[in-house]
Amino acid sequence: MPLLQEKLTPPALPVSVVARERLNDRFALTERVRLLVVQAPPGYGKSALLAERLPQLDQPAAWLRLDARDDTPERFAAYFHATLAELCRRLGLAPTLPPPGDLPATMEAWLAALPREAPPGRLVLDDFHHLRHPQILEALRHWLDHQPPWLTLTLASRTRPALGTAGLRLRGELEEIGMAELAFELEEAQTLCAEQLSFPPTRVSLERALRRTEGWPLALAWLIERTTTRASFDSLLERLDGSHPDFVAWFDELLERSIDDQDRQLLLQLGVLERFSPNLVARLLEGERLSQRLEALEQGSLFLERVEPHSQWLRFHPLFAGYLRHRRHELSLATQRELHQRASTAWLRLGNPALALAQAIEAEAPKALAELLEQQGPTLLANGHFALLARGLAALGDTRLVDSPRLTLLHGWASHAQYHFDRTRQAIDWIEAQLEAPEWAALAAEFATLRAQLAINEGDAERAAPLAEQALTLPPRYLASTPLTAASILAEARFVQGELAESLERTRRVEHEAARLGDEQRRLWALCHQSETLVAQGRLQAAYDVQERAMAHVERCGLDRLPVAEFLYRIRSQLLWEWQRLDEAEQAALKGIEVLDTQGERWTLQCHVGLAKVALSRGDPAQCADHIRRVRKILVQGDYHIDWQANAHATLLAWWQANGDLDAVARWLQEAPAGDPARASNHFAQCNLRNHARALTLLGRFDEAEALLVELERQTQRLGLVTDANRNRLCLAALAWQRGRHDEASDHLRQALTLATRTALAGSFLRLGRALPEMLAPLLEDDGLDPLARSHAERLLELARRQREFGRAVRLLLDDSVIEEIVSRPDVPELIRTSPLTRREWQILGLIHAGLSNEQIAEQLSVAPTTVKTHIRSLYQKQHIRRREEAIALAGELLTRIQGE
């Protein structure tokens, strides 16, 4: 029969193929390995992996690309014979291979004809899942049993090959590459984006995409092909789900080709569950041979995988699970509700109240849902399932909540944990209106604790402390954790009041009590709060040591997926930034975002602020612009504690200062959170008012700024806020320097360096920018600094010299005098003079040179993206520019001439 030569060649590689060097060790050509199986659902790049890696590793291979028509013994024998002959030719072998005939007989004859020794090579069978004929599979099993040791059979398949792989695995003769190995890692995804996008997504967005797709190459390619900007990538990522029409159509076609109607019905029923085991499926569903059918679905690689490699529990890929949820309307509403209710009951019996609650919400049975919430609410709260609790309570509605003291209490804590303080206040109003009723009065300890917590978040420590003390005198009746929570709030109140020593001692007691009770989350909180207190005292090394204990605690107790872990990663990032360990600071902030990814973006504000600070320190305006855009977006989404606001505003001010945007500074100052210097008894009140002082300094209102900073200094001295004293002194140095009082600035900097011998601050010093080396130079020339301060000054000088100046091109090109200097030079391109740019076009040229995308430029200039495009079009036409790279080169050439670099 005639053979299609195209089937005997490797597939063409995609235009942007990503090399997978990390999998090289899976391709070892040894006599031990008889079979290599690359098995995964479609879209994981199985064929591309083999076609790209084998030539790179210089491994001779002959290919057979199978299709459904090859599932007959005669046709398969003809193609297998041709593939084997091609491999022998490539290896320089000349065996006499009998022509294809009866498959079992000719397979035996081919084995006999092959030499015992030869150079190593591979026989690649691509799309092996098309082969189901018993005679073909039996012949290949026989082939594997007697295959010469120099030959490795290599299969790419969607399904698990029925070739006796279990025995091969036990004997160490099988190498496997599956979904987990084929999923893209961050570096591979970055490579793919860099090759296809002019402005690749930020690392935050790309890591989120990897989590949502679990590295599925097809889904990542879909995202990349449909976006051209970072903003459009983020927007599409938010809509990425298995219910997207593109994926619905794709999964529909896949199932139509892969399974029958009975198994499709089973998939829809399994789609109700988040995870399942054969035992759970047998308990919940009706039907024959359920275990065998479930095993067949797993072997068929229908995006079904084990939760852990050796676990009985299975789950669907999240996008396929989303597709099944979308298609569940094919089941009757009664069937869906019954399945959800039975699943809820089953999960409760298995000791998983979170999954039980998720199912109960879908069951739409209010009475059962209310009972589950009241019974399991304390456990769910203790394990950080705030978003899930909020969903369950919302499903019940306010009418049911207001009649139940327990549900009202849960509503208060769940809304508080999600920063919906207006809803927390609503719960407290319900409580206070009914507190005289016996069933409400019974929860007096719990209610006092909730009221104390809200008071702390509103910055009212004077009200929070007595409420927490009251709670500690009353017995808890519903939430056993109430005494520990109240003790934590009291410790936090003392911190807010500036009583740092007492706060630290109380927090240590909370840690010990939490350890005694086995409350691992509260113990982690206590460690984090100890670290914050030590930072406020200027003891950053001690704070870091406590964080190390907290990190070990997270790993030991498996807390890295709970919201409380974000607290640790956030403060770790802040401390590491201060020490200018920027890579580690960035990694900690990214980890915090990962922890809270499913909780909602508004939770991640502090971590995004940390990433913006890192980008500022690196002098990376493009990355920083993206983080600042996201920070500003998140800020308008919630009513945040002043601590979070002040930290975010400090970074916004640094960004505006770097870009010379004094209009933004002035607008902020008009709307900034108020503060009273006489009450600045903690780091966030100090930070907020220090922001005011920085803004006043930038706007030239020096006397007001100085008066404010002097008053803040009085508070730091009274309360021992050493780190704030260090930062305030730096602000005073910057203020004096800007006023031209250089001797005064040197005195302030000298005092700041003395404080830094305790705090080891570096990031705060480097925020002084270009002025820092000029201020340090005279201090290092005299003998007035003690050895520790001098050593720190020398390190700061080295860091300042290495630090890339942020947004230099941006600041220069926004300056009219610089524009005039460029235009007046005789050596500038003639087009600059004959086709002069407008001031706005100069600004945009500078921002392009700084690496900002169109959307970032629009954000920076507060104009619409379409306006930016119009200006760019005009700029390009005037200067005969066709590509962005030419605009960057032009700006660089102009700047080089006036800078003499």
Side-chain angles (χ1 to χ4, degrees):
M1 69 178 231
L3 301 181
L4 298 176
Q5 293 305 304
E6 180 261 350
K7 290 169 61 68
L8 300 173
T9 59
L13 290 172
V15 176
S16 299
V17 66
V18 177
R20 316 295 293 276
E21 293 96 337
R22 64 180 173 84
L23 296 175
N24 284 355
D25 60 341
R26 303 300 184 102
F27 285 88
L29 278 173
T30 67
E31 294 187 1
R32 179 181 61 85
V33 177
R34 290 177 169 273
L35 177 65
L36 168 64
V37 176
V38 185
Q39 182 203 347
Y44 271 87
K46 301 179 292 295
S47 303
L49 171 71
L50 294 172
E52 188 275 330
R53 277 292 87 195
L54 297 184
Q56 294 297 320
L57 297 172
D58 294 325
Q59 295 188 358
W63 281 70
L64 171 53
R65 292 156 61 190
L66 298 159
D67 57 47
R69 293 170 301 171
D70 297 322
D71 196 27
T72 63
E74 298 79 12
R75 184 178 173 88
F76 175 76
Y79 273 107
F80 190 88
H81 175 268
T83 308
L84 184 59
E86 173 63 17
L87 179 63
C88 290
R89 185 188 69 78
R90 293 190 178 199
L91 296 176
L93 306 177
T96 302
L97 299 175
D102 176 64
L103 184 59
T106 51
M107 191 73 83
E108 183 83 14
W110 294 335
L111 284 168
L114 292 177
R116 181 66 185 169
E117 295 184 359
R122 292 185 183 275
L123 202 60
V124 180
L125 303 184
D126 196 6
D127 285 336
F128 186 85
H129 50 273
H130 289 300
L131 299 182
R132 300 180 181 179
H133 197 289
Q135 194 174 97
I136 296 175
L137 296 177
E138 179 57 37
L140 286 172
R141 280 193 288 268
H142 180 68
W143 175 274
L144 275 172
D145 287 340
H146 302 284
Q147 179 178 268
W150 52 265
L151 180 59
T152 302
L153 188 61
T154 301
L155 313 180
S157 178
R158 295 181 184 179
T159 62
R160 190 178 303 162
L163 298 178
T165 53
L168 291 170
R169 187 181 297 112
L170 288 174
R171 294 193 298 272
E173 298 172 351
L174 172 67
E175 186 67 71
E176 297 174 278
I177 302 175
M179 282 176 67
E181 293 78 21
L182 290 170
F184 268 21
E185 294 184 346
L186 177 63
E187 186 176 345
E188 293 165 334
Q190 287 174 327
T191 300
L192 186 65
C193 290
E195 290 180 354
Q196 298 196 32
L197 296 176
S198 300
F199 295 96
T202 63
R203 182 168 173 181
V204 172
S205 299
L206 195 53
E207 288 195 359
R208 181 173 289 127
L210 285 170
R211 287 192 292 272
R212 294 198 176 186
T213 63
E214 294 193 348
W216 184 20
L218 180 70
L220 286 171
W222 177 85
L223 267 173
I224 292 167
E225 288 169 4
R226 283 158 181 76
T227 59
T228 55
T229 66
R230 293 186 176 110
S232 61
F233 185 93
D234 290 344
S235 177
L236 187 59
L237 180 57
E238 291 301 317
R239 303 195 303 275
L240 175 60
D241 185 74
S243 61
H244 189 285
D246 288 358
F247 285 96
V248 169
W250 193 87
F251 283 128
D252 279 345
E253 291 178 4
L254 175 65
L255 294 189
E256 187 176 346
R257 295 193 305 266
S258 305
I259 60 174
D260 57 25
D261 289 341
Q262 187 180 26
D263 280 344
R264 178 184 173 86
Q265 190 77 359
L266 175 59
L267 278 177
L268 292 174
Q269 292 175 316
L270 292 172
V272 169
L273 308 171
E274 184 170 321
R275 64 181 68 177
F276 44 87
S277 66
N279 288 338
L280 183 63
V281 169
R283 190 181 302 178
L284 293 181
L285 305 181
E286 296 178 359
E288 298 180 357
R289 301 176 56 253
L290 284 175
S291 295
Q292 294 91 325
R293 289 167 60 198
L294 185 60
E295 184 177 352
L297 290 175
E298 184 190 2
Q299 290 178 352
S301 268
L302 279 173
F303 295 90
L304 184 61
E305 57 186 344
R306 295 190 179 274
V307 175
E308 296 176 0
H310 306 294
S311 167
Q312 288 295 308
W313 290 94
L314 300 160
R315 69 176 185 92
F316 291 113
H317 185 283
L319 290 180
F320 190 61
Y323 162 77
L324 293 176
R325 285 193 298 272
H326 173 76
R327 282 296 185 204
R328 67 183 176 185
H329 66 267
E330 297 178 20
L331 301 172
S332 71
L333 191 58
T335 298
Q336 291 181 53
R337 288 174 175 169
E338 183 182 357
L339 279 172
H340 284 302
Q341 190 58 59
R342 290 162 67 182
S344 177
T345 303
W347 280 121
L348 209 53
R349 288 174 180 165
L350 290 169
N352 195 320
L355 289 179
L357 175 56
Q359 294 292 337
I361 294 169
E362 300 292 339
E364 299 181 359
K367 183 178 179 181
L369 176 59
E371 290 177 359
L372 175 60
L373 282 166
E374 288 206 12
Q375 291 169 5
Q376 300 298 326
T379 301
L380 292 164
L381 269 181
N383 287 286
H385 295 292
F386 307 124
L388 181 60
L389 268 172
R391 277 181 52 212
L393 294 163
L396 289 178
D398 288 357
T399 303
R400 286 181 178 271
L401 299 183
V402 74
D403 288 336
S404 166
R406 292 184 172 188
L407 293 178
T408 295
L409 183 65
L410 294 174
H411 168 56
W413 280 116
S415 59
H416 170 270
Q418 296 192 293
Y419 313 123
H420 293 157
F421 299 140
D422 56 334
R423 297 282 286 166
T424 310
R425 168 56 59 192
Q426 176 192 51
I428 289 175
D429 289 343
W430 295 345
I431 291 165
E432 291 176 345
Q434 304 178 78
L435 199 50
E436 299 302 320
E439 60 178 338
W440 291 76
L443 301 185
E446 284 87 341
F447 291 149
T449 305
L450 177 62
R451 292 159 72 193
Q453 183 66 72
L454 183 62
I456 273 289
N457 278 88
E458 291 174 342
D460 192 347
E462 284 70 23
R463 184 160 55 93
L467 284 168
E469 289 171 332
Q470 176 191 350
L472 288 169
T473 66
L474 299 169
R477 300 297 175 87
Y478 180 50
L479 298 179
S481 61
T482 294
L484 208 53
T485 305
S488 303
I489 295 169
L490 188 54
E492 193 170 354
R494 296 294 182 248
F495 177 86
V496 172
Q497 291 168 331
E499 302 293 339
L500 299 185
E502 181 183 345
S503 175
L504 189 60
E505 179 56 35
R506 286 184 178 275
T507 308
R508 285 171 174 159
R509 275 186 259 159
V510 169
E511 179 200 349
H512 295 150
E513 183 65 10
R516 186 183 71 81
L517 296 174
D519 189 337
E520 307 301 352
Q521 289 194 79
R522 183 57 60 177
R523 187 178 179 187
L524 176 58
W525 176 91
L527 288 167
C528 292
H529 199 269
Q530 284 178 55
S531 177
E532 279 205 311
T533 308
L534 291 165
V535 167
Q537 291 179 328
R539 300 159 62 188
L540 271 68
Q541 183 59 56
Y544 180 80
D545 293 341
V546 171
Q547 289 179 16
E548 288 286 278
R549 287 173 51 208
M551 293 292 289
H553 179 62
V554 165
E555 185 175 351
R556 184 171 59 251
C557 299
L559 304 177
D560 59 326
R561 294 296 172 187
L562 298 179
V564 67
E566 183 271 342
F567 187 9
L568 172 60
Y569 295 123
R570 177 211 319 159
I571 60 174
R572 191 171 182 80
S573 177
Q574 292 168 354
L575 192 153
L576 291 167
W577 172 83
E578 194 61 79
W579 286 348
Q580 288 294 282
R581 291 162 59 175
L582 298 182
D583 290 345
E584 295 170 82
E586 179 183 52
Q587 195 57 48
L590 289 167
K591 186 66 177 177
I593 291 172
E594 180 183 350
V595 168
L596 298 179
D597 192 38
T598 60
Q599 302 290 330
E601 192 176 51
R602 65 182 176 275
W603 288 50
T604 63
L605 173 64
Q606 290 273 55
C607 292
H608 280 292
V609 169
L611 293 173
K613 288 165 64 177
V614 168
L616 270 168
S617 295
R618 286 174 172 163
D620 187 340
Q623 285 289 330
C624 191
D626 279 306
H627 296 312
I628 290 293
R629 175 172 55 85
R630 201 180 296 263
V631 165
R632 294 174 70 177
K633 172 189 168 189
I634 297 172
L635 273 172
V636 302
Q637 295 178 354
D639 179 17
Y640 295 102
H641 186 272
I642 188 61
D643 183 9
W644 287 40
Q645 291 184 55
N647 193 28
H649 292 164
T651 302
L652 289 175
L653 286 167
W655 163 254
W656 293 325
Q657 180 181 2
N659 291 294
D661 193 348
L662 298 183
D663 289 342
V665 175
R667 286 195 300 271
W668 177 83
L669 192 57
Q670 290 177 343
E671 303 168 358
D676 179 1
R679 297 172 60 85
S681 56
N682 48 67
H683 71 87
F684 41 86
Q686 287 268 330
C687 181
N688 178 47
L689 289 168
R690 193 160 50 245
N691 289 339
H692 284 252
R694 284 183 177 138
L696 290 166
T697 301
L698 290 171
L699 297 173
R701 295 160 61 177
F702 301 132
D703 290 340
E704 295 172 74
E706 184 173 21
L708 183 52
L709 288 168
V710 168
E711 184 59 33
L712 288 178
E713 273 297 85
R714 291 197 185 99
Q715 293 296 326
T716 61
Q717 292 172 19
R718 181 174 69 86
L719 299 169
L721 298 169
V722 177
T723 297
D724 283 299
N726 206 164
R727 289 170 176 155
N728 292 340
R729 192 61 62 178
L730 288 170
C731 286
L732 284 165
L735 170 61
W737 188 265
Q738 193 163 333
R739 299 180 85 166
R741 301 176 180 175
H742 291 185
D743 289 343
E744 184 181 332
S746 291
D747 288 340
H748 287 307
L749 189 60
R750 188 190 307 275
Q751 294 179 62
L753 286 168
T754 301
L755 287 167
T757 60
R758 296 172 59 186
T759 65
L761 299 190
S764 294
F765 277 85
L766 292 171
R767 274 189 168 170
L768 294 176
R770 284 181 295 175
L772 180 61
E774 298 176 39
M775 297 166 72
L776 285 172
L779 289 176
L780 289 169
E781 287 174 1
D782 63 36
D783 298 326
L785 290 177
D786 67 56
L788 285 177
R790 175 174 292 277
S791 174
H792 193 64
E794 289 170 348
R795 177 173 181 266
L796 289 170
L797 189 59
E798 178 62 27
L799 287 171
R801 286 170 177 164
R802 293 205 312 259
Q803 191 173 37
R804 178 181 167 193
E805 189 176 334
F806 182 84
R808 186 174 188 182
V810 178
R811 291 201 303 277
L812 283 171
L813 290 177
L814 289 178
D815 188 334
D816 287 333
S817 63
V818 174
I819 296 171
E820 184 178 350
E821 182 182 349
I822 290 174
V823 174
S824 64
R825 289 182 66 89
D827 59 346
V828 299
E830 185 65 22
L831 278 174
I832 290 291
R833 284 191 291 272
T834 58
S835 299
L837 304 179
T838 66
R839 187 175 189 279
R840 182 64 92 188
E841 288 164 359
W842 276 110
Q843 289 176 326
I844 288 175
L845 180 61
L847 292 164
I848 289 174
H849 180 260
L852 274 66
S853 66
N854 288 359
E855 68 214 42
Q856 292 167 340
I857 295 172
E859 176 81 15
Q860 173 70 16
L861 299 179
S862 300
V863 298
T866 52
T867 303
V868 171
K869 289 181 180 178
T870 301
H871 286 301
I872 289 176
R873 193 180 306 116
S874 172
L875 163 66
Y876 283 14
Q877 287 172 351
K878 288 179 179 180
Q879 300 302 312
H880 295 175
I881 291 172
R882 292 171 297 173
R883 297 187 301 275
R884 204 175 193 92
E885 291 78 8
E886 295 176 26
I888 294 171
L890 173 62
E893 177 188 355
L894 297 174
L895 288 172
T896 298
R897 287 177 181 174
I898 66 168
Q899 292 163 7
E901 296 175 357

